[in-house]
Amino acid sequence: MKYISTRGEAPSLSFTDALIAGLAQDGGLYLPEAYPQLSRSEIAGFAGRPYAAVAEAVITPFVDGTLEALHAAIEAAYAGFAHPAVTPLTQLGDNLFLLELFHGPTLAFKDLAMQLLSRMMRQVLAQRGKRATIVAATSGDTGAAAIAAFRDIDAVDLFILYPHGRVSDVQRRQMTTVAADNVHVVALDGTFDDAQALVKGLFANKRLRDEFSLAGVNSINWARVVAQVVYYFTSAVALGAPYRPVSFAVPTGNFGDILAGWIAKKMGLPTERLVIATNANDILARALATGRYEIGQVEATQSPSMDIQVSSNFERLLFEAYGRDAAAIRRLMSALQQAGGFGIDAEPLAAIRSEFDAVRIGEAETTEEIARVWREAQKLIDPHTAVGIGAARTALAVRPHIPMIVLGTAHPAKFPAAIERATGITPPLPPHLADLFTREERFDILANDERGLAAYMRQRLRASKRAAS
Ligand SMILES: *Cc1c(COP(=O)(O)O)cnc(C)c1O
């Protein structure tokens, strides 16, 4: 299977080449030439199977024989999760279900993709006898998940950029307290969007891309999206798929997670609605309501991993909604860069609205939702998940007979201040993180500047080579 760029001006790549590249050289995002199809009987056969077995069935056709040890990578990736089901499904109310994606090592759903991605990359780099430098922007959870996944991989140096002062203490400490010579943590003076733009700029600079052998693990990396398709199948099958359709509500920032749900649907999973849940940073809710995708000011909220205005993976959905017209996507993306927004044409807008809803949940509603779920179901939920549940209730009111699965994207202990405010209870960290607040922190504060970042990277790479030799 070949992968093509949404902007149509980069070469098509194999799965493993797209895995290493992350972003396409024309600034676009990779998508498969066609989506593999799963028959109803194949989907029905997932019932009762271990998570890793379903993962292998879903992921194998995308990888297309380009990774020798895919089976071993998948088994190892999910062996370290704290729940035997990996992603257990629990019921919160009438036709309202919670898919718990936070039982991995860093307590957010990012672990599901990152634990597999790191093992895939290690294999590809070993096969090619190469090293890579990974640079990633994070709104908090990607950084921790990437550090946990790559800290023991010698062929990789990892640079993580997070917005200074805009992540929770638990999130920051999960990144800054890992003592590994190949891990470099940067607090960037700016927002997440600034960090993401800086990383995109590095990748767009051919000289720097080659100098550092840059590889990307942000949610634009196709392999991450593929890994996330799996739990849409496992959860829907648990509720009777493919014989009964379900809907999903997904706390959304960069649009990677919900895009995976759309791909599951394309592969044959009967799906009624995909509900985009946003916090006060509601560019997607505004875009679906008005047809204009327009960047606003980033607002700091209780759900910082969704404090994003530019939703990178939305470009993939736009590409599909425009009938894979790469020239149209180039036009929209250049308007975004130059004028800070664009209008979505009538036909693609209608196509998107026919499958997606978008609901904005504000700060007060988020707090009320955390309190309500504690009151009604005796369950502590994190603020991102609360945004998802709030949006799910709105959508469920329209279609009460269709089961609604909310993606629980983070463990409540990652955001204790918000939980305490809503319920008076402080959720304890699980045992493997119990000493997080006594560990020593290591990070550097940098200005939002490409040349400064590149100089810092050179210096750190020299230092880590010295430490290794
Ligand atoms: C990353 C993240 C999100 C947003 O996911 P996207 O794939 O970027 O839309 C939501 N919740 C949590 C806890 C996250 O870490």
Side-chain angles (χ1 to χ4, degrees), residues 240-309:
Y243 308 112
R244 194 162 72 136
V246 297
S247 294
F248 294 96
V250 186
T252 293
N254 233 342
F255 207 77
D257 208 5
I258 194 162
L259 180 79
W262 183 81
I263 288 162
K265 185 178 179 189
K266 289 307 246 192
M267 293 174 73
L269 185 68
T271 307
E272 185 80 18
R273 304 295 295 172
L274 290 161
V275 182
I276 302 165
T278 79
N279 65 20
N281 297 287
D282 61 350
I283 181 166
L284 289 168
R286 285 185 285 113
L288 258 70
T290 66
R292 253 201 92 69
Y293 185 88
E294 183 121 16
I295 301 175
Q297 275 292 318
V298 181
E299 242 181 81
T301 71
Q302 307 172 73
S303 43
S305 303
M306 293 151 60
D307 290 349
I308 288 175
Q309 284 290 333

Side-chain angles (χ1 to χ4, degrees), residues 108-110 139 141 219 228 251-257 305-306 308 382 384 409-410 415:
F109 85 93
K110 306 287 199 294
S139 52
D141 296 327
S219 70
Q228 291 168 181
T252 293
N254 233 342
F255 207 77
D257 208 5
S305 303
M306 293 151 60
I308 288 175
D382 99 286
H384 304 78
T409 50
F415 303 95

Side-chain angles (χ1 to χ4, degrees), residues 48-311:
R49 303 274 295 142
Y51 186 88
V54 178
E56 196 171 339
V58 171
I59 296 169
T60 296
F62 287 104
V63 173
D64 201 19
T66 55
L67 272 175
E68 282 159 25
L70 180 64
H71 173 80
I74 291 175
E75 289 288 337
Y78 300 115
F81 279 63
H83 196 287
V86 181
T87 60
L89 188 69
T90 55
Q91 186 158 16
L92 295 179
D94 286 346
N95 265 342
L96 183 62
F97 297 86
L98 177 66
L99 177 59
E100 299 184 4
L101 301 176
F102 45 74
H103 295 286
T106 71
L107 312 181
F109 85 93
K110 306 287 199 294
D111 288 326
L112 284 146
M114 209 64 88
Q115 287 290 321
L116 181 59
L117 182 69
S118 64
R119 288 170 169 87
M120 288 177 162
M121 275 201 183
R122 172 192 273 174
Q123 265 188 45
V124 175
L125 292 173
Q127 275 166 22
R128 298 179 182 182
K130 292 226 161 106
R131 297 186 54 81
T133 304
I134 292 174
V135 188
T138 181
S139 52
D141 296 327
T142 294
I147 291 167
F150 284 95
R151 57 176 295 175
D152 298 321
I153 298 189
D154 293 332
V156 165
D157 267 282
L158 178 64
F159 288 84
I160 294 294
L161 278 64
Y162 73 87
H164 190 32
R166 290 173 184 257
V167 300
S168 83
D169 290 346
V170 174
Q171 285 181 309
R172 189 190 70 249
R173 285 185 158 272
Q174 283 184 317
M175 296 188 277
T176 58
T177 62
V178 174
D181 288 331
N182 69 334
V183 171
H184 317 277
V185 180
V186 173
L188 187 81
D189 223 339
T191 65
F192 169 75
D193 289 312
D194 294 331
Q196 182 161 256
L198 196 56
V199 171
K200 280 190 179 176
L202 277 189
F203 277 85
N205 183 327
K206 180 164 168 28
R207 197 174 48 76
L208 294 178
R209 200 168 64 228
D210 294 345
E211 176 188 344
F212 291 112
S213 302
L214 289 181
V217 298
N218 265 110
S219 70
I220 49 177
N221 190 303
W222 173 252
R224 274 185 65 183
V225 177
V226 168
Q228 291 168 181
V229 173
V230 176
Y231 44 73
Y232 286 90
F233 281 100
T234 59
S235 58
V237 164
L239 295 182
Y243 308 112
R244 194 162 72 136
V246 297
S247 294
F248 294 96
V250 186
T252 293
N254 233 342
F255 207 77
D257 208 5
I258 194 162
L259 180 79
W262 183 81
I263 288 162
K265 185 178 179 189
K266 289 307 246 192
M267 293 174 73
L269 185 68
T271 307
E272 185 80 18
R273 304 295 295 172
L274 290 161
V275 182
I276 302 165
T278 79
N279 65 20
N281 297 287
D282 61 350
I283 181 166
L284 289 168
R286 285 185 285 113
L288 258 70
T290 66
R292 253 201 92 69
Y293 185 88
E294 183 121 16
I295 301 175
Q297 275 292 318
V298 181
E299 242 181 81
T301 71
Q302 307 172 73
S303 43
S305 303
M306 293 151 60
D307 290 349
I308 288 175
Q309 284 290 333
V310 182
S311 235

